[in-house]
């Protein structure tokens, strides 16, 4: 009797895979802890020092994160992203709980808060690239776009829920209780990550860290899709961050909308971006991804520029929703292309380069945006920012390899 060979079963869809769901729960818990931590840090810094000193504490993590991010990508590729993520969450949990314990027993001033911010920035430099490199070791390439959408939903959920959790912690027990809650949330991620199974994929070579970093940068520069994609991401983020952060604060103040109006506008943006992530989660693949990125980025830049000229709060909320939907879609697809186009052995370094722009260099544009608004007004600055953002879409449309890039089926 001849044995019948059955074809291998197709891989489970990401949103139904228990292994992916454990990773998603760990990531969400870690991000909730992050959001709660920032509320606790800002409250504690304001209580312990002057507004200027509090601002310095809040920005203390930016420098080590920017300086060390590329090295963090090398570490993620050399050691494996799962190990790095687990170690990063363990260090962050220990640091936050140590400061919580210190605040429970004494009032030490600003120095432990500044030190904690420095630790977070240093750990983020290795955590962020490792988080970006991990999905490729959890599922097949055809599911990575869906995972990117799920990750986007986790980020939106964490930003919406984490701030009220931090505020609740402060209300119930001050900054110490909020720090303790943040540490507990980050701690939940560690056992979940330990239970996640990963595939054995190639890691970085056995050369020096410098040679691995150079190899990663050369890999990106020579890649027909990744090189222009990095430029598109950089331009899109540089044009987007100013208007949607400091620019929106000044817009709400000058139009008389107040803090609640700014909150409603940000909520509109969050709903739009969340809808884009949900679309990618449900569909798993968007045809002609490169072309969609270019068109969505160009259209989104028009919506960004229009924010400065809307007549009232309701129009601003609707425009912000459109901005979130279009830029959220282009951003999610950029992330999905990074995941699927990059060789897994280089994915930590690829993620580090893209994250360096978003988390390291782009925030530096905010003080310049504020100064420019003070000198030239909202309209011109929003228009220039929109033009820079739109250039990212133009890059995606005019570079043939990126325009024709597809997500795997």
């Amino acid at each position: 009797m001849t044995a019948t060979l059955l074809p291998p079963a197709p891989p489970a869809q990401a949103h139904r895979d228990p292994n992916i769901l454990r990773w998603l729960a760990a990531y969400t818990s870690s991000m909730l802890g992050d959001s709660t931590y920032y509320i606790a840090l800002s409250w504690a810094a304001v209580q312990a020092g002057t507004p200027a000193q509090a601002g310095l504490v809040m920005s203390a993590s930016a420098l080590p994160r920017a300086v060390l991010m590329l090295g963090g990508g090398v570490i993620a590729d050399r050691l494996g992203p799962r190990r790095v993520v687990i170690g990063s969450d363990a260090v962050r949990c220990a640091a936050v709980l140590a400061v919580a314990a210190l605040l429970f027993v004494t009032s030490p001033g600003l120095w432990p808060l500044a030190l904690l911010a420095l630790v977070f920035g240093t750990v983020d430099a290795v955590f962020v690239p490792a988080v970006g490199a991990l999905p490729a070791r959890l599922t097949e390439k055809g599911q990575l776009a869906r995972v990117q959408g799920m990750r986007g939903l986790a980020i939106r959920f964490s930003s919406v829920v984490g701030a009220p959790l931090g505020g609740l912690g402060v209300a119930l027990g001050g900054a110490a209780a909020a720090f303790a809650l943040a540490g507990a949330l980050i701690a939940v991620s560690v056992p979940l990550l330990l239970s996640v199974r990963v595939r054995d994929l190639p890691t970085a070579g056995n050369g020096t860290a410098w040679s691995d970093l150079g190899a990663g940068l050369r890999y990106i520069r020579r890649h027909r899709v990744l090189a222009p994609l990095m430029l598109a991401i950089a331009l899109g983020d540089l044009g987007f961050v100013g208007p949607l952060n400091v620019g929106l604060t000044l817009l709400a103040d000058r139009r008389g909308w107040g803090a609640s109006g700014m909150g409603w506008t940000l909520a509109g943006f969050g709903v739009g971006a969340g809808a884009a992530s949900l679309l990618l989660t449900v569909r798993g693949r968007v045809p002609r991804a490169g072309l969609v990125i270019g068109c969505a980025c160009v259209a989104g830049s028009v919506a960004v520029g229009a924010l400065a000229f809307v007549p009232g709060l309701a129009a601003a909320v609707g425009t912000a929703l459109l901005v979130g939907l279009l830029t959220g879609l282009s951003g999610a697809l950029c992330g999905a292309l990074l995941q699927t186009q990059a060789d897994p052995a280089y994915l930590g370094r690829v993620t580090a380069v893209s994250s360096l722009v978003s988390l390291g260099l782009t925030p530096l544009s905010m003080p310049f945006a504020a100064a420019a608004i003070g000198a030239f007004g909202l309209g011109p600055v929003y228009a220039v920012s929109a033009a820079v953002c739109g250039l990212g879409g133009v890059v995606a449309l005019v570079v043939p390899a990126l325009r024709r890039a597809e997500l795997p089926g």
Side-chain angles (χ1 to χ4, degrees):
M1 183 175 180
T2 304
T4 302
L5 297 178
L6 297 176
Q13 291 185 327
H15 62 292
R16 297 174 180 171
D17 186 340
N19 196 50
I20 296 291
L21 294 178
R22 285 195 298 273
W23 163 80
L24 184 66
Y27 181 70
T28 304
S29 181
S30 180
M31 292 297 99
L32 278 172
D34 263 10
S35 297
T36 306
Y37 151 78
Y38 282 112
I39 296 297
L41 183 67
S42 61
W43 180 264
V46 167
Q47 295 297 306
T50 66
Q53 290 171 330
L56 288 174
V57 169
M58 293 301 297
S59 61
S61 61
L63 182 60
R65 185 168 53 215
V67 171
L68 301 175
M69 184 73 75
L70 294 180
V74 173
I75 292 173
D77 284 337
R78 288 172 75 98
L79 301 182
R82 177 174 174 269
R83 184 185 304 175
V84 172
V85 171
I86 292 172
S88 300
D89 272 347
V91 170
R92 294 193 303 163
C93 174
V96 172
L97 292 179
V99 170
L102 188 62
L103 291 177
F104 270 120
V105 299
T106 186
S107 299
L110 287 170
W111 70 265
L113 303 178
L115 181 60
L116 178 62
L118 287 171
V119 169
F120 252 69
T122 301
V123 174
D124 275 351
V126 295
F127 175 79
V128 172
V131 164
L134 189 54
R137 287 166 167 79
L138 301 178
T139 189
E140 302 294 331
K141 233 175 188 180
Q143 293 297 315
L144 287 177
R146 197 185 301 273
V147 170
Q148 188 69 20
M150 295 165 68
R151 182 182 171 192
L153 288 175
I155 292 172
R156 297 300 162 196
F157 173 81
S158 301
S159 63
V160 170
V161 176
L165 279 178
L168 179 63
V170 168
L172 294 178
F179 276 126
L181 177 58
L185 287 167
I186 297 173
V188 169
S189 70
V190 176
L192 286 170
L193 286 168
L194 288 170
S195 69
V196 170
R197 302 185 309 275
V198 296
R199 298 191 298 159
D200 187 20
L201 292 175
T203 56
N206 297 320
T208 66
W210 280 111
S211 65
D212 283 350
L213 176 58
L217 295 176
R218 287 192 298 273
Y219 172 77
I220 294 170
R221 188 179 72 246
R222 296 169 181 171
H223 199 287
R224 296 172 62 249
V225 173
L226 293 179
L229 184 60
M230 291 294 181
L231 179 59
I233 291 172
L235 290 169
D237 284 348
L238 282 171
F240 169 82
V241 167
L244 264 293
N245 286 276
V246 63
L248 187 57
T249 303
L250 295 173
L251 179 65
D253 178 65
R254 295 188 180 186
R255 296 293 175 84
W257 300 337
S260 63
M262 184 180 70
W264 279 110
T265 307
L266 286 173
F269 169 79
V271 169
S277 295
L278 181 61
L279 172 67
L280 199 55
T281 301
V282 172
R283 288 188 58 88
R285 180 178 183 272
V286 174
R288 307 191 72 178
L291 180 62
V292 173
I293 287 172
C295 293
C297 192
V298 170
S301 70
V302 174
V304 167
L307 265 176
F309 303 97
V310 291
L313 179 57
V317 173
T319 305
L321 190 149
L322 184 61
V323 171
L325 181 63
L326 292 169
T327 60
L329 179 61
S330 62
L333 289 176
C334 283
L337 278 182
L338 284 178
Q339 291 282 325
T340 55
Q341 290 284 330
D343 186 319
Y346 291 93
L347 199 45
R349 284 162 286 181
V350 170
T351 304
V353 172
S354 65
S355 300
L356 179 62
V357 174
S358 300
L359 300 176
L361 301 181
T362 302
L364 298 177
S365 68
M366 287 192 282
F368 293 102
I373 290 172
F376 305 107
L378 287 164
V381 174
Y382 265 77
V384 171
S385 297
V388 173
C389 186
L391 282 176
V394 171
V395 169
L397 293 174
V398 302
V399 178
L402 178 54
R403 185 179 67 249
R404 297 169 186 157
E406 292 277 10
L407 295 172

